Amino acid sequence: AERSLLVLFGSQTGTAQDTAERIGREAKRRHWRCRVEALDSCDVANLIHEPLVVFVCATTGQGDPPDNMKVFWRFLFRKSLPAGSLCQLDFAVLGLGDSSYPKFNFIAKKLHKRLLQLGGNPLLPVALGDDQHDLGPDAVVDPWLVALWDKILALYPLPPGLEIISPDVRLPPKYTLHYLPEDSPPPDSDLLQPTAPRAAPCELHPFSARVVSNQRVTAQSHFQDVRLIEFDIAGSGITFSAGDVVMIQPQNCPEDVQQFCQLLRLEPHRRFVLEPTEPGTPLPPLLPQPCTIQYLVTHYLDISCVPRRSFFELLASFSTSELEREKLQEFSSAQGQEELFSYCNRPRRTTLEALWDFPHTTCAIPADYLLDLIPRIRPRAFSIASSMLAHPERMQILVAVVQYKTRLSKPRQGLCSTWLASLNPEQGDVRVPLWVKKGGMKFPADPATPVIMIGPGTGVAPFRAAIQERVAQGCRGNCLFFGCRYKSKDFYCQAEWEELVTKGLLTLFTAFSRDQEEKVYVQHRIRENGRLVWELLSTGNAHVYLAG
């Protein structure tokens, strides 16, 4: 039989995807035809024809499946699926979780159990990778993969005359990058413009929203820069209600892009087309064809993320310097993980900074391997801080600009918040790619049900949307506990709250932790007003919401 293996992942932050791609590489070294796909990208009904599947899935939140496996999850738990429908399937499940959460690796455990119910044959017990382990999930993943390949090669031996490809041999890249001649005519500018929305915008078809305003809502003297940013979403087809989340696709800053191109000796304005090495591999979404190096590095490659072990493994294979190669090999070995953690994860060193440290290797990176080496920029989620009933065709978010110190001399900066804060709508037409996701918070349908909202800091964002919505719908019984450091410096939306209090539409309790000798937080205000809170809960049947 043709030796084909399918690796399916459910990944929220990219770790499960990284691990799935690692399994894909190990499969290729053992001469398997291997596809690596997100669970929601594959046709679940075809599972019955697959002989061998490895599932790699993370658990998010309170035991929830990642976004890119939600559709698969609903299908798999249909009551109507017959008990023996997967009896042809050999499978293995690798879970990635965090044991400091009560529902540790809940999704992997539940998936394993469900595949058994449907008649699948497990090759191994479910693996439960743990972020809390000193060596991270690899402490479980490394030995489990050794056992997995032993098991698979016992069932499906290597064809005669073939050896496992040695780790010293570099695998071909996923895509090859074909430069277009310098003088070829530029593409129609329409290619880069998103077409008119077919349906509501989504990750593959974001809406390019114009920034209307970008206002700092903390005092200049305050250490934290927080912005209230407003977007124009007219004509987008976007609708949302209180508690929903907006996903924003950020981009790298021009200085980083320029540095990256200099380090790798890339010409920013060169145009190229991508060609998959293996027929049938889809092209990366959201990259125009043809594309410039500048566009690829600005909008696609996550050069500011903390690099993973797999980055150093591939980087080592390009190295022309023995000294650099030894260090890179150490970082990609099982024994070198503690060393890697203190080099990368603890100080939050970025991919770009790591490349600086290995100059001989970096200038030898072939452009073809850029998309194998560096993951794509992931979208960021923000609570929507306004209601369409109060601000039609507009959407607002409250963004704390992320900046902090580690032992590295340069302060760490959040990619998305720093980029958003830098946008100045007074300098012309500034746009941000975005789409909306249903949030986890649902507010009561009955207008008589009171709502207690506890939202310190920027956690108040979804409650601003809820209060605007409820006031517009004529709901009373809005009670907000808000906390921050100083009344004069970071009391977001103060005038708006005070006006609603005056009109009798909001009950507001504030805790300004640093305005007096002893620190006062929202929990102190809840305790002081315990009688009211209990009355709302016991007789009013109030709903309580908390956002941080």
Side-chain angles (χ1 to χ4, degrees):
E2 187 201 23
R3 302 169 78 244
S4 82
L5 165 71
L6 180 59
V7 183
L8 295 173
F9 62 86
S11 186
Q12 196 70 22
T13 60
T15 311
Q17 180 174 351
D18 185 66
T19 305
E21 282 165 356
R22 170 183 171 185
I23 297 170
R25 291 192 296 276
E26 294 187 5
K28 290 203 170 92
R29 294 194 182 278
R30 290 159 179 79
H31 303 280
W32 284 81
R33 276 209 38 205
C34 182
R35 303 202 317 283
V36 180
E37 291 177 13
L39 275 153
D40 280 357
S41 309
C42 84
D43 185 356
V44 197
N46 281 341
L47 273 186
I48 53 171
H49 307 303
E50 291 290 344
L52 183 57
V53 181
V54 179
F55 296 88
V56 184
C57 43
T59 296
T60 64
Q62 305 300 319
D64 301 315
D67 290 338
N68 63 6
M69 68 177 279
K70 283 190 155 66
V71 178
F72 164 83
W73 198 243
R74 280 196 298 272
F75 179 88
L76 198 70
F77 285 91
R78 279 188 188 171
K79 300 271 189 290
S80 58
L81 294 182
S85 47
L86 294 179
C87 61
Q88 306 284 344
L89 177 74
D90 286 336
F91 76 89
V93 175
L94 165 50
L96 295 171
D98 182 323
S99 57
S100 63
Y101 284 79
K103 295 204 167 177
F104 172 55
N105 261 315
F106 182 73
I107 298 299
K109 293 173 188 168
K110 201 168 168 185
L111 172 61
H112 190 86
K113 198 170 160 187
R114 181 59 172 155
L115 294 170
L116 287 177
Q117 283 176 354
L118 295 172
N121 316 300
L123 296 173
L124 288 178
V126 58
L128 306 176
D130 184 7
D131 235 9
Q132 290 299 316
H133 192 285
D134 288 346
L135 299 173
D138 286 349
V140 167
V141 174
D142 289 358
W144 187 84
L145 282 179
V146 172
L148 179 69
W149 290 120
D150 287 349
K151 193 86 193 200
I152 288 177
L153 289 178
L155 289 171
Y156 306 89
L158 277 172
L162 285 180
E163 296 283 314
I164 296 178
I165 301 168
S166 141
D168 305 334
V169 178
R170 194 193 311 149
L171 293 171
K174 201 169 176 183
Y175 305 101
T176 45
L177 207 124
H178 296 285
Y179 283 116
L180 300 179
E182 300 265 10
D183 52 3
S184 59
D188 301 334
S189 55
D190 303 350
L191 278 182
L192 293 177
Q193 289 307 315
T195 45
R198 281 166 294 291
C202 59
E203 181 157 8
L204 295 179
H205 303 284
F207 176 70
S208 201
R210 185 173 64 82
V211 179
V212 180
S213 62
N214 177 354
Q215 167 197 355
R216 179 170 171 143
V217 290
T218 44
Q220 284 302 329
S221 61
H222 191 54
F223 77 101
Q224 174 86 72
D225 180 358
V226 177
R227 303 301 177 98
L228 182 66
I229 300 177
E230 181 169 63
F231 302 108
D232 180 353
I233 55 165
S236 64
I238 288 177
T239 58
F240 59 87
S241 40
D244 286 350
V245 164
V246 62
M247 304 299 295
I248 290 182
Q249 184 66 46
Q251 60 185 58
N252 291 310
C253 71
E255 302 79 61
D256 285 359
V257 172
Q258 188 187 355
Q259 270 189 20
F260 180 86
C261 290
Q262 281 171 352
L263 271 176
L264 276 81
R265 304 181 179 173
L266 295 165
E267 297 175 52
H269 299 297
R270 277 307 291 275
R271 289 169 47 247
F272 63 88
V273 289
L274 286 178
E275 203 173 286
T277 311
E278 289 184 13
T281 306
L283 288 169
L286 296 176
L287 267 190
Q289 288 268 54
C291 181
T292 64
I293 291 288
Q294 176 114 20
Y295 189 94
L296 173 73
V297 183
T298 303
H299 297 279
Y300 195 84
L301 300 179
D302 196 355
I303 59 177
S304 76
C305 70
V306 176
R308 301 175 186 273
R309 174 177 168 181
S310 57
F311 168 86
F312 294 97
E313 195 178 323
L314 182 54
L315 203 53
S317 74
F318 306 131
S319 193
T320 49
S321 141
E322 197 169 335
L323 203 63
E324 290 186 6
R325 184 168 56 247
E326 275 176 13
K327 195 69 193 168
L328 292 164
Q329 282 168 339
E330 182 191 347
F331 282 159
S332 49
S333 70
Q335 304 76 31
Q337 289 316 287
E338 237 159 291
E339 181 88 13
L340 177 61
F341 191 85
S342 56
Y343 170 70
C344 260
N345 304 62
R346 198 167 288 124
R348 310 305 294 163
R349 193 183 302 273
T350 69
T351 295
L352 181 58
E353 289 168 329
L355 291 171
W356 272 110
D357 285 345
F358 297 91
H360 298 93
T361 308
T362 296
C363 66
I365 297 171
D368 287 344
Y369 281 93
L370 284 174
L371 287 99
D372 295 85
L373 186 64
I374 301 173
R376 70 176 175 85
I377 299 176
R378 300 202 159 250
R380 281 24 179 198
F382 293 90
S383 293
I384 298 174
S386 62
S387 163
M388 297 185 90
L389 300 180
H391 303 274
E393 305 199 321
R394 293 280 198 261
M395 176 197 290
Q396 297 175 356
I397 56 173
L398 199 58
V399 181
V401 181
V402 176
Q403 184 170 15
Y404 56 95
K405 280 290 291 173
T406 64
R407 64 180 174 78
L408 302 178
S409 58
K410 193 177 165 199
R412 309 291 87 193
Q413 293 187 319
L415 174 67
C416 190
S417 60
T418 305
W419 172 61
L420 286 172
S422 75
L423 301 176
N424 181 356
E426 285 158 25
Q427 290 177 353
D429 193 28
V430 183
R431 293 187 179 259
V432 169
L434 51 78
W435 64 97
V436 165
K437 245 175 52 177
K438 276 278 152 249
M441 283 189 189
K442 298 276 175 288
F443 290 88
D446 179 356
T449 307
V451 170
I452 299 169
M453 294 162 280
I454 305 152
T458 52
V460 80
F463 303 137
R464 181 171 181 259
I467 290 165
Q468 287 182 0
E469 190 165 285
R470 288 171 57 82
V471 165
Q473 290 164 342
C475 306
R476 291 182 173 258
N478 303 311
C479 175
L480 173 65
F481 287 87
F482 174 77
C484 64
R485 292 199 177 191
Y486 306 97
K487 183 175 184 176
S488 62
K489 292 185 178 181
D490 54 342
F491 186 2
Y492 312 134
C493 314
Q494 177 179 1
E496 189 174 333
W497 304 136
E498 288 172 350
E499 186 185 343
L500 291 170
V501 170
T502 310
K503 291 179 174 168
L505 299 169
L506 175 68
T507 306
L508 175 68
F509 299 101
T510 53
F512 305 113
S513 61
R514 312 295 166 93
D515 274 345
Q516 59 288 307
E517 198 53 39
E518 69 297 345
K519 296 197 171 83
V520 178
Y521 295 112
V522 284
Q523 59 268 31
H524 299 119
R525 294 292 182 237
I526 293 169
R527 188 173 289 148
E528 285 164 18
N529 296 280
R531 184 177 247 155
L532 167 73
V533 171
W534 173 243
E535 196 174 303
L536 289 171
L537 288 172
S538 57
T539 59
N541 203 12
H543 292 199
V544 180
Y545 300 84
L546 175 65

